[in-house]
Amino acid sequence: MPRRSYDQYCAVARALDAVGDRWTLLIVRELLGGPRRYTDLHADLPGVSTDMLASRLKDMERDGLVTRRRLAPPGAAFVYELTARGRALLPALTALADWGAPALGERRPTDAIRAHWFAVPLMARLAGHFTDGTDVIDIALDEGEFHVVLGSGGPESCAPDGGAGYADGPAERPDVRLRMDTATCADIAYDRLSLALGIESGRIAVTLPEGSGERQRRKRTTTA
């Protein structure tokens, strides 16, 4: 199928030529967490048909947003991952999450949810709170667990070149673990509650894994 275009000499129009189709940015949201198999993408994008997902991934490969590669044995499965151009969409998704936050009231009965869907809006909030060398943060919700990597530290580290990112499941060696319910996570992610107040009020439980303090001390020493 030929590529559709707005045929306008405008950066916004050019961007929408590449990412304006339904599901495209949600696929980017999933792949910001790292390489994913087709079946994993389909499982975490409830509502998308297999034909639509395959079509969008093909379009995104054509537009230089994703690549497809085969894992080394014993995996030997194909995975999709973002290119540098695809990863550069993180600030755009963060801005969209902030813009869409007022539309999130109570969860509707028809709303699907995955724990890691909170990762993108949480990154800047976590980076603004943890300025002491904390890089890897586990987030545990009732719906599941994911971890955020802040990269070089500070709010600016959430830029694509700052090493920031997230992945599903717990980290192998987190600096800190945060446990909270989904409502609290949403309040933090969308600036209805500060992380400091969430911890002070007991809505967020904080634990330090063994050895995390020494790792943070070494990081501060290295960057000093």
Side-chain angles (χ1 to χ4, degrees):
M1 179 181 294
R3 176 179 185 158
R4 293 183 299 174
S5 173
Y6 287 102
D7 291 325
Q8 295 179 13
Y9 192 68
C10 165
V12 174
R14 288 287 195 270
L16 291 175
D17 283 347
V19 300
D21 285 328
R22 182 172 168 83
W23 295 106
T24 299
L25 286 177
L26 294 184
I27 294 172
V28 173
R29 178 197 67 192
E30 295 302 311
L31 292 179
L32 281 168
R36 305 288 298 275
R37 296 179 301 173
Y38 178 90
T39 52
D40 296 329
L41 281 172
H42 189 259
D44 280 336
L45 289 166
V48 69
S49 69
T50 54
D51 288 346
M52 176 64 74
L53 180 56
S55 175
R56 288 292 177 264
L57 286 168
K58 185 175 180 180
D59 291 344
M60 292 170 74
E61 282 190 87
R62 175 200 63 200
D63 293 335
L65 301 177
V66 304
T67 58
R68 180 174 177 262
R69 63 178 174 88
R70 184 186 289 274
L71 294 176
F78 282 101
V79 294
Y80 293 89
E81 60 187 335
L82 292 174
T83 62
R85 182 169 174 78
R87 290 192 300 273
L89 285 163
L90 173 56
L93 262 68
T94 302
L96 275 173
D98 289 343
W99 184 83
L104 281 180
E106 291 188 16
R107 181 181 170 189
R108 299 171 298 194
T110 55
D111 283 341
I113 190 170
R114 302 288 189 274
H116 67 265
W117 290 351
F118 291 104
V120 167
L122 269 179
M123 286 183 193
R125 281 69 177 172
L126 292 170
H129 180 85
F130 291 104
T131 59
D132 58 353
T134 297
D135 286 342
V136 184
I137 304 167
D138 269 353
I139 310 290
L141 308 180
D142 292 339
E143 288 79 13
E145 192 167 353
F146 62 95
H147 63 275
V148 170
V149 180
L150 299 183
S152 57
E156 295 80 7
S157 70
C158 292
D161 59 355
Y166 77 90
D168 215 1
E172 184 177 349
R173 299 176 66 189
D175 293 320
V176 65
R177 290 192 177 101
L178 306 179
R179 173 169 284 281
M180 66 193 88
D181 59 26
T182 303
T184 298
C185 190
D187 285 345
I188 296 293
Y190 301 115
D191 274 343
R192 297 190 290 260
L193 176 71
S194 71
L195 199 64
L197 186 56
I199 294 170
E200 181 182 344
S201 65
R203 293 179 63 180
I204 302 173
V206 181
T207 58
L208 298 175
E210 185 177 353
S212 63
E214 176 61 21
R215 289 197 300 273
Q216 290 181 52
R217 186 192 66 77
R218 289 199 299 267
K219 290 173 188 175
R220 288 194 294 268
T221 301
T222 300
T223 57

PDB file of all heavy atoms in Angstrom, residues 63-77:
ATOM      1  N   ASP A  63       9.460   3.396   7.930  1.00  0.00           N
ATOM      2  CA  ASP A  63       9.724   4.782   8.303  1.00  0.00           C
ATOM      3  C   ASP A  63      10.945   4.931   9.218  1.00  0.00           C
ATOM      4  O   ASP A  63      11.229   6.035   9.686  1.00  0.00           O
ATOM      5  CB  ASP A  63       8.492   5.374   8.995  1.00  0.00           C
ATOM      6  CG  ASP A  63       7.313   5.524   8.043  1.00  0.00           C
ATOM      7  OD1 ASP A  63       7.552   5.628   6.822  1.00  0.00           O
ATOM      8  OD2 ASP A  63       6.163   5.524   8.520  1.00  0.00           O
ATOM      9  N   GLY A  64      11.645   3.846   9.465  1.00  0.00           N
ATOM     10  CA  GLY A  64      12.870   3.923  10.250  1.00  0.00           C
ATOM     11  C   GLY A  64      12.664   4.078  11.743  1.00  0.00           C
ATOM     12  O   GLY A  64      13.561   4.534  12.461  1.00  0.00           O
ATOM     13  N   LEU A  65      11.486   3.679  12.248  1.00  0.00           N
ATOM     14  CA  LEU A  65      11.199   3.778  13.681  1.00  0.00           C
ATOM     15  C   LEU A  65      11.552   2.501  14.428  1.00  0.00           C
ATOM     16  O   LEU A  65      11.901   2.545  15.615  1.00  0.00           O
ATOM     17  CB  LEU A  65       9.723   4.105  13.910  1.00  0.00           C
ATOM     18  CG  LEU A  65       9.208   5.401  13.288  1.00  0.00           C
ATOM     19  CD1 LEU A  65       7.716   5.547  13.541  1.00  0.00           C
ATOM     20  CD2 LEU A  65       9.963   6.589  13.850  1.00  0.00           C
ATOM     21  N   VAL A  66      11.416   1.355  13.778  1.00  0.00           N
ATOM     22  CA  VAL A  66      11.721   0.076  14.419  1.00  0.00           C
ATOM     23  C   VAL A  66      12.554  -0.791  13.473  1.00  0.00           C
ATOM     24  O   VAL A  66      12.565  -0.586  12.255  1.00  0.00           O
ATOM     25  CB  VAL A  66      10.445  -0.705  14.825  1.00  0.00           C
ATOM     26  CG1 VAL A  66       9.547   0.118  15.731  1.00  0.00           C
ATOM     27  CG2 VAL A  66       9.678  -1.179  13.606  1.00  0.00           C
ATOM     28  N   THR A  67      13.242  -1.741  14.071  1.00  0.00           N
ATOM     29  CA  THR A  67      13.938  -2.771  13.310  1.00  0.00           C
ATOM     30  C   THR A  67      13.487  -4.130  13.833  1.00  0.00           C
ATOM     31  O   THR A  67      13.022  -4.252  14.969  1.00  0.00           O
ATOM     32  CB  THR A  67      15.463  -2.657  13.443  1.00  0.00           C
ATOM     33  OG1 THR A  67      15.826  -2.750  14.831  1.00  0.00           O
ATOM     34  CG2 THR A  67      15.963  -1.341  12.875  1.00  0.00           C
ATOM     35  N   ARG A  68      13.661  -5.127  13.004  1.00  0.00           N
ATOM     36  CA  ARG A  68      13.303  -6.504  13.367  1.00  0.00           C
ATOM     37  C   ARG A  68      14.560  -7.359  13.268  1.00  0.00           C
ATOM     38  O   ARG A  68      15.282  -7.300  12.279  1.00  0.00           O
ATOM     39  CB  ARG A  68      12.226  -7.025  12.403  1.00  0.00           C
ATOM     40  CG  ARG A  68      11.746  -8.447  12.651  1.00  0.00           C
ATOM     41  CD  ARG A  68      10.583  -8.720  11.706  1.00  0.00           C
ATOM     42  NE  ARG A  68      10.071 -10.080  11.805  1.00  0.00           N
ATOM     43  CZ  ARG A  68      10.403 -11.071  10.991  1.00  0.00           C
ATOM     44  NH1 ARG A  68      11.258 -10.846   9.974  1.00  0.00           N
ATOM     45  NH2 ARG A  68       9.888 -12.272  11.143  1.00  0.00           N
ATOM     46  N   ARG A  69      14.837  -8.129  14.307  1.00  0.00           N
ATOM     47  CA  ARG A  69      16.025  -8.976  14.286  1.00  0.00           C
ATOM     48  C   ARG A  69      15.732 -10.305  14.974  1.00  0.00           C
ATOM     49  O   ARG A  69      14.814 -10.414  15.787  1.00  0.00           O
ATOM     50  CB  ARG A  69      17.201  -8.287  14.968  1.00  0.00           C
ATOM     51  CG  ARG A  69      17.013  -8.002  16.449  1.00  0.00           C
ATOM     52  CD  ARG A  69      18.246  -7.369  17.065  1.00  0.00           C
ATOM     53  NE  ARG A  69      18.023  -6.958  18.439  1.00  0.00           N
ATOM     54  CZ  ARG A  69      18.211  -7.762  19.496  1.00  0.00           C
ATOM     55  NH1 ARG A  69      18.619  -9.020  19.306  1.00  0.00           N
ATOM     56  NH2 ARG A  69      17.987  -7.314  20.716  1.00  0.00           N
ATOM     57  N   ARG A  70      16.553 -11.291  14.661  1.00  0.00           N
ATOM     58  CA  ARG A  70      16.396 -12.609  15.276  1.00  0.00           C
ATOM     59  C   ARG A  70      17.309 -12.722  16.489  1.00  0.00           C
ATOM     60  O   ARG A  70      18.482 -12.347  16.434  1.00  0.00           O
ATOM     61  CB  ARG A  70      16.735 -13.716  14.271  1.00  0.00           C
ATOM     62  CG  ARG A  70      16.494 -15.129  14.822  1.00  0.00           C
ATOM     63  CD  ARG A  70      16.988 -16.186  13.858  1.00  0.00           C
ATOM     64  NE  ARG A  70      16.165 -16.278  12.664  1.00  0.00           N
ATOM     65  CZ  ARG A  70      15.065 -17.017  12.578  1.00  0.00           C
ATOM     66  NH1 ARG A  70      14.646 -17.715  13.628  1.00  0.00           N
ATOM     67  NH2 ARG A  70      14.384 -17.069  11.456  1.00  0.00           N
ATOM     68  N   LEU A  71      16.771 -13.228  17.582  1.00  0.00           N
ATOM     69  CA  LEU A  71      17.569 -13.458  18.771  1.00  0.00           C
ATOM     70  C   LEU A  71      18.521 -14.628  18.552  1.00  0.00           C
ATOM     71  O   LEU A  71      18.242 -15.540  17.773  1.00  0.00           O
ATOM     72  CB  LEU A  71      16.669 -13.756  19.972  1.00  0.00           C
ATOM     73  CG  LEU A  71      15.753 -12.622  20.465  1.00  0.00           C
ATOM     74  CD1 LEU A  71      14.862 -13.134  21.593  1.00  0.00           C
ATOM     75  CD2 LEU A  71      16.575 -11.433  20.937  1.00  0.00           C
ATOM     76  N   ALA A  72      19.623 -14.589  19.242  1.00  0.00           N
ATOM     77  CA  ALA A  72      20.575 -15.697  19.173  1.00  0.00           C
ATOM     78  C   ALA A  72      19.980 -16.929  19.854  1.00  0.00           C
ATOM     79  O   ALA A  72      19.147 -16.804  20.759  1.00  0.00           O
ATOM     80  CB  ALA A  72      21.876 -15.297  19.852  1.00  0.00           C
ATOM     81  N   PRO A  73      20.380 -18.133  19.433  1.00  0.00           N
ATOM     82  CA  PRO A  73      19.918 -19.357  20.111  1.00  0.00           C
ATOM     83  C   PRO A  73      20.281 -19.289  21.596  1.00  0.00           C
ATOM     84  O   PRO A  73      21.280 -18.657  21.951  1.00  0.00           O
ATOM     85  CB  PRO A  73      20.685 -20.470  19.389  1.00  0.00           C
ATOM     86  CG  PRO A  73      21.025 -19.887  18.059  1.00  0.00           C
ATOM     87  CD  PRO A  73      21.242 -18.422  18.295  1.00  0.00           C
ATOM     88  N   PRO A  74      19.496 -19.886  22.485  1.00  0.00           N
ATOM     89  CA  PRO A  74      18.389 -20.792  22.164  1.00  0.00           C
ATOM     90  C   PRO A  74      17.059 -20.088  21.905  1.00  0.00           C
ATOM     91  O   PRO A  74      16.056 -20.737  21.673  1.00  0.00           O
ATOM     92  CB  PRO A  74      18.292 -21.651  23.430  1.00  0.00           C
ATOM     93  CG  PRO A  74      18.709 -20.711  24.524  1.00  0.00           C
ATOM     94  CD  PRO A  74      19.777 -19.841  23.929  1.00  0.00           C
ATOM     95  N   GLY A  75      17.024 -18.745  21.993  1.00  0.00           N
ATOM     96  CA  GLY A  75      15.765 -18.037  21.752  1.00  0.00           C
ATOM     97  C   GLY A  75      15.292 -18.182  20.326  1.00  0.00           C
ATOM     98  O   GLY A  75      14.213 -18.705  20.040  1.00  0.00           O
ATOM     99  N   ALA A  76      16.114 -17.724  19.395  1.00  0.00           N
ATOM    100  CA  ALA A  76      15.873 -17.854  17.959  1.00  0.00           C
ATOM    101  C   ALA A  76      14.542 -17.262  17.501  1.00  0.00           C
ATOM    102  O   ALA A  76      14.065 -17.580  16.423  1.00  0.00           O
ATOM    103  CB  ALA A  76      15.974 -19.308  17.521  1.00  0.00           C
ATOM    104  N   ALA A  77      13.946 -16.387  18.318  1.00  0.00           N
ATOM    105  CA  ALA A  77      12.704 -15.733  17.922  1.00  0.00           C
ATOM    106  C   ALA A  77      13.039 -14.360  17.349  1.00  0.00           C
ATOM    107  O   ALA A  77      14.110 -13.802  17.588  1.00  0.00           O
ATOM    108  CB  ALA A  77      11.774 -15.588  19.117  1.00  0.00           C
TER     109      ALA A  77
END
